[in-house]
DNA sequence: AAAAAGATAGATCGATCTGTCTATTTCTCC
DNA sequence: GGAGAAATAGACAGATCGATCTATCTTTTT
């Protein structure tokens, strides 16, 4: 029993976020979640009907928070190139803050089969939103450039997680800016 | 009990490959492995000292097989551009054969924490080998181009898994060839 | 103050988990 | 055919899994 601030539902979501993100979904047991959230077992099932619904709640909240973070970075500047640069800087800072744990959605994707359609949909929707957001910044660019920047952005996330190093973010940033 | 061809050790590795790759490491239990391999429980621990060592054997074999497959594609042609095109074609065909299950190494990476140093090392070594292999094909190109192609190659894998669609492979292929 | 809702601890469920062990059978090789 | 290795089935251990349930306590609302 650790946390004690906020209401139980909020603490469960926060704890699940930390655990699912840092050790994975299947590697995290419900017992650990309730223990670290300081919440009774029955309270979990009062607010979430199953472990999977807790996962969905986590992904949903993560999408909001992550996109908000990204928007706060790109919103600080006005030019297209600056916004793209800011987007990569967001990845850079995230890596520092979250110890190169990579993309929460892609990580869960790896644990997901085609049968988990609800989970798969949330993940795909998140990436579609991200892709649309980048495309809007690049509104005056050709579709090929929009796609290209998106693909570099994605590999920056994955590869920095893989190598536990910022070089993919910095390289991908240079390449993306070079396309504009 | 399903498989019955080949020796038990081989069947265990084949079954573990299928299961770890398609449903994930933590989602796969040892019981399912031995049941589908048609092998006694004791036989598993005769050949592999733990579940993790079976995972390491899977990753090791997968590295060999996957790189062999890649080399057989690029070995068919002689020009640099053709080899890069062939590398992306390999991804394309892999997606068809393996139902967009993506990169075995990146999938396991998502289930791996910093404490699993043995697993993490195998994954990083695989990607280093891949990167070196692409760099060798691009031996006459600048380092920035080598890195760029590598990053596009990686996102082609990840994004086609995400969308269950070949467009990222085809787009990344065009972009990579456009750099040369 | 009474009623309703929220939260608690903890027992319990059946299933599954990784790993060990024994005892028996099958195979290989000389 | 005989010795030794390999493989087998299956019991077993001890822990954990996700989920349900009861019964009690606390908080909020009216």
């Amino acid at each position: 029993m650790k946390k004690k601030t906020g209401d139980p539902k909020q603490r469960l979501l926060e704890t699940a976020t930390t655990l699912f993100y840092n050790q994975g979904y299947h590697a995290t047991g419900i017992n650990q979640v309730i223990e670290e959230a300081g919440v009774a077992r029955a309270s979990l099932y009062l607010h979430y009907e199953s472990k999977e619904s807790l996962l969905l709640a986590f992904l949903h909240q993560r999408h909001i928070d992550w996109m908000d973070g990204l928007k706060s970075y790109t919103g600080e500047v006005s030019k297209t190139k600056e916004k793209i640069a800011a987007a990569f800087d967001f990845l850079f800072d995230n890596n520092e803050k979250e110890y190169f744990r990579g993309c929460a959605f892609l990580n869960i994707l790896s644990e997901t089969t085609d049968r988990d359609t609800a989970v798969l949909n949330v993940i795909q929707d998140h990436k579609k939103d991200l892709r649309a957001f980048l495309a809007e910044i690049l509104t005056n660019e050709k579709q090929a450039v929009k796609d290209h920047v998106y693909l570099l952005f994605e590999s920056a996330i994955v590869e920095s997680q893989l190598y536990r190093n910022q070089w993919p973010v910095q390289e991908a940033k240079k390449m993306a800016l070079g396309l504009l």
Side-chain angles (χ1 to χ4, degrees), chain A:
Chain A
M1 194 187 309
K2 297 186 177 169
K3 294 196 191 182
K4 275 298 174 185
T5 50
D7 65 340
K9 185 169 185 177
Q10 179 65 17
R11 285 187 315 218
L12 284 168
L13 188 54
E14 285 172 10
T15 305
T17 295
T18 303
L19 296 177
F20 289 166
Y21 183 48
N22 288 300
Q23 32 179 297
Y25 176 69
H26 286 103
T28 301
I30 228 66
N31 291 328
Q32 190 182 9
V33 175
I34 61 174
E35 204 272 334
E36 296 197 11
V39 160
R41 181 182 307 272
S43 301
L44 192 161
Y45 291 98
L46 193 68
H47 296 293
Y48 302 98
E49 70 172 6
S50 66
K51 188 189 178 189
E52 182 180 311
S53 83
L54 182 58
L55 172 64
L56 289 169
F58 150 58
L59 291 175
H60 181 255
Q61 189 59 49
R62 174 82 180 179
H63 173 64
I64 294 170
D65 295 343
W66 195 88
M67 290 298 293
D68 280 355
L70 175 60
K71 285 169 188 168
S72 83
Y73 273 63
T74 59
E76 290 288 316
V77 290
S78 54
K79 298 199 192 80
T80 297
K81 279 188 133 184
E82 288 172 336
K83 282 180 186 291
I84 294 301
F88 281 93
D89 293 342
F90 172 65
L91 296 187
F92 188 99
D93 292 348
N94 259 359
N95 279 338
E96 296 292 331
K97 269 198 324 198
E98 313 194 304
Y99 306 102
F100 295 98
R101 245 278 123 194
C103 174
F105 299 88
L106 294 181
N107 287 339
I108 296 299
L109 177 70
S110 294
E111 298 198 60
T112 300
T113 69
D114 285 309
R115 277 187 290 279
D116 313 316
T117 53
V119 175
L120 187 56
N121 281 337
V122 173
I123 295 170
Q124 289 179 339
D125 286 349
H126 163 72
K127 289 298 185 188
K128 284 177 189 166
D129 272 17
L130 165 61
R131 199 169 157 228
F133 180 76
L134 292 176
E136 180 160 327
I137 291 176
L138 300 165
T139 186
N140 293 324
E141 299 288 338
K142 284 183 270 191
Q143 184 61 39
V145 172
K146 293 175 184 172
D147 290 342
H148 200 144
V149 171
Y150 169 72
L151 291 180
L152 287 172
F153 197 76
E154 288 288 277
S155 53
I157 302 175
V158 172
E159 299 299 301
S160 54
Q161 175 186 8
L162 169 59
Y163 294 107
R164 263 73 165 162
N165 193 289
Q166 298 281 19
W167 76 256
V169 176
Q170 298 181 292
E171 290 300 307
K173 178 182 174 181
K174 277 188 223 161
M175 296 166 191
L177 294 177
L179 298 172
L180 308 181

